[in-house]
Amino acid sequence: MKNKETQCVHPLPISDKILTGIVSPIVLSTAYNYMDTAELAYPGFFSTHNQNRLGTIVSELEGGVWGIAFNSGMSAISSAIFSNVKLGEHIIFFNELYGGAWKLAKEELPKHGIACSFANKDLESFKSCLQENTKVIYLETPSNPLLSIIDLKEITTWAKEKNLITIVDNTFATPINQKPISLGADIVIHSGTKYLGGHNDLPFGAIAISDNRFKVPLLTTAKLFGGSLSPHACYMAERSIKTLALRVERQNENALRIAHYLESHQKIKKVYYPGLPSHKDHLIAKKQMVNFGGMLSFEADFEHGTSWHFLSHLLIIKPALSLGGVESLICVPTETSHLNLTNEEKERMGIKENLFRLSVGIENCNDLIKDLESALDFSSLDVVSSYLKVWK
Ligand SMILES: *Cc1c(COP(=O)(O)O)cnc(C)c1O
């Protein structure tokens, strides 16, 4: 078994037997001579179908038996669900979900006769959602935006007893920090748009499976629902993955340092980072993750409506959606990713108005801390009210 840094650079043998190039060739044809070949799909190349080299690369990193690529994380999610669940069946979702998955479960799946329940992170809550027609458990850990951690081993052990399929969205952790299949997951999903792509410029998705019984249904759904990725995008993804371990290791280090810094800052009320001993799920994170990732959130002690003031004083960290890239990005979930939740849902999830979600990049950490420091200095209520006094 190769170490992870080596595995990222050399995930698979190169298929270019003709020119012997050291990067994989891009194959553009959408039509192949059927008289000439027994195999119409070319899993070894970046061809124009879902089933290509990129899926295999992600599967290798996740320790799966097979993988498949998509043109977005959402198409990976919907293919994973629709290939395993049919009319009249039921899914239990963890109730802290990526916004798109949440909307799919709340609005779209019920239209197709698939019932959905939402459990808290503990096993008892999953048990209480179990129905006779339950087919799948759908999890995301660490969660967005509060970085809650689900005990994957505990939940998947129970799910296996009940003959349920466990799907895990591993986008936040990446296979560098967490391998859900080794913790009992059946199917792992990625929004490659985030860490795997890593440069905020490449939308894609991927699935890795732990057992070949999922392969044919998944291939069929993937093909019929569309969502395949262009050969050039596949190539960009493989190129990005070569630096995945390096990037994620720097992001882990930066995020931990920033989390400690923010935790000691008087204007910050609370920091959510699974690597902090103060995080409610720190011990589970320590048990199942190699490292704690590049995402963190914090609640600031700002007056209502002044978060813009803090954001507008950041010079390096950009107020932007998305995450996982080399550039540090920050957002206010109640104004962006979680805008459409009802007040009751926000309250239940504990997502407050003054909560900021930070996706830590690979910049020099001292520069990032300085950027936060000076924006926090500016953002105090005193500054705002002294401006107001001058105005009056
Ligand atoms: C962004 C994201 C998705 C959706 O991915 P797209 O590539 O944008 O479709 C799914 N899950 C998580 C955890 C995400 O952050």
Side-chain angles (χ1 to χ4, degrees):
M1 185 70 185
K2 287 175 253 180
N3 287 307
K4 56 185 187 292
E5 298 83 356
T6 312
Q7 204 186 8
C8 285
V9 181
H10 306 285
L12 292 178
I14 300 298
S15 302
D16 182 6
K17 300 282 185 288
I18 300 168
L19 298 173
T20 69
I22 65 154
V23 297
S24 213
I26 299 172
V27 178
L28 292 175
S29 188
T30 54
Y32 298 96
N33 184 338
Y34 68 88
M35 306 276 281
D36 212 26
T37 174
E39 205 186 352
L40 284 175
Y42 287 78
F45 292 85
F46 297 114
S47 64
T48 49
H49 303 281
N50 298 75
Q51 194 194 2
N52 61 37
R53 183 176 164 89
L54 178 57
T56 317
I57 290 173
V58 174
S59 167
E60 286 289 307
L61 290 175
E62 287 289 357
V65 296
W66 182 79
I68 181 168
F70 295 86
N71 61 9
S72 71
M74 280 313 300
S75 65
I77 291 173
S78 43
S79 289
I81 290 175
F82 281 114
S83 64
N84 285 294
V85 186
K86 60 179 190 296
L87 181 75
E89 291 181 331
H90 171 247
I91 307 178
I92 309 173
F93 285 86
F94 173 39
N95 67 10
E96 292 175 38
L97 284 180
Y98 167 70
W102 179 255
K103 220 169 151 97
L104 184 76
K106 278 267 172 184
E107 293 171 19
E108 213 50 43
L109 295 175
K111 281 193 225 161
H112 300 273
I114 295 168
C116 301
S117 300
F118 300 89
N120 299 330
K121 61 179 279 296
D122 55 294
L123 179 59
E124 288 313 309
S125 179
F126 279 88
K127 283 184 176 168
S128 71
C129 291
L130 184 70
Q131 300 180 7
E132 244 167 46
N133 56 347
T134 305
K135 191 74 193 292
V136 160
I137 304 271
Y138 186 100
L139 311 172
E140 207 177 300
T141 181
S143 75
N144 181 13
L146 295 180
L147 293 311
S148 302
I149 308 289
I150 287 198
D151 189 330
L152 286 175
K153 188 100 208 176
E154 184 184 52
I155 303 267
T156 59
T157 304
W158 170 75
K160 280 189 206 316
E161 264 168 39
K162 300 289 171 196
N163 240 338
L164 309 173
I165 298 164
T166 308
I167 301 177
V168 176
D169 183 333
N170 202 31
T171 300
F172 268 41
T174 82
I176 304 302
N177 286 331
Q178 173 175 278
K179 304 228 191 209
I181 289 177
S182 73
L183 298 161
D186 295 300
I187 297 175
V188 173
I189 286 170
H190 275 281
S191 168
T193 317
K194 316 295 166 51
Y195 285 97
L196 301 188
H199 296 72
N200 291 314
D201 62 358
L202 178 64
F204 77 98
I207 292 179
I209 58 174
S210 64
D211 188 300
N212 276 319
R213 76 189 150 110
F214 301 112
K215 179 172 169 179
V216 172
L218 192 49
L219 256 179
T220 309
T221 307
K223 204 164 166 183
L224 297 181
F225 280 60
S228 58
L229 189 62
S230 82
H232 194 259
C234 288
Y235 173 74
M236 295 217 354
E238 175 167 357
R239 192 172 133 148
S240 298
I241 288 171
K242 291 187 188 200
T243 57
L244 178 69
L246 275 182
R247 286 185 278 111
V248 169
E249 280 155 21
R250 169 63 77 86
Q251 285 165 315
N252 289 336
E253 281 168 28
N254 282 358
L256 181 64
R257 258 191 75 195
I258 291 173
H260 279 297
Y261 161 75
L262 290 171
E263 196 169 46
S264 67
H265 197 288
Q266 59 175 26
K267 282 178 197 157
I268 304 301
K269 283 201 282 203
K270 195 168 165 77
V271 179
Y272 299 87
Y273 183 66
L276 289 177
S278 60
H279 189 276
K280 66 180 182 352
D281 301 328
H282 177 62
L283 293 179
I284 311 171
K286 236 170 117 172
K287 188 177 71 169
Q288 76 185 13
M289 298 179 80
V290 176
N291 212 321
F292 305 106
M295 297 299 300
L296 62 93
S297 292
F298 55 96
E299 278 163 27
D301 195 7
F302 299 158
E303 188 74 350
H304 173 75
T306 56
S307 61
W308 61 272
H309 203 256
F310 167 64
L311 294 181
S312 65
H313 280 92
L314 289 165
L315 299 175
I316 298 171
I317 302 168
K318 302 266 178 309
L321 276 178
S322 204
L323 58 104
V326 291
E327 299 93 355
S328 294
L329 304 180
I330 191 165
C331 72
V332 178
T334 53
E335 292 170 9
T336 54
S337 54
H338 293 69
L339 180 67
N340 294 325
L341 295 189
T342 62
N343 286 340
E344 187 245 318
E345 284 169 338
K346 277 183 261 195
E347 180 123 339
R348 180 182 52 71
M349 291 185 185
I351 301 172
K352 307 209 170 113
E353 206 169 60
N354 55 5
L355 181 81
F356 295 82
R357 186 192 77 184
L358 180 60
S359 169
V360 179
I362 64 166
E363 299 94 337
N364 181 296
C365 197
N366 294 334
D367 293 341
L368 294 176
I369 288 176
K370 254 189 239 155
D371 200 29
L372 288 164
E373 175 103 19
S374 58
L376 283 167
D377 279 348
F378 266 110
S379 65
S380 77
L381 178 62
D382 305 345
V383 176
V384 176
S385 54
S386 63
Y387 280 151
L388 292 177
K389 267 183 220 140
V390 173
W391 261 54
K392 277 177 195 157

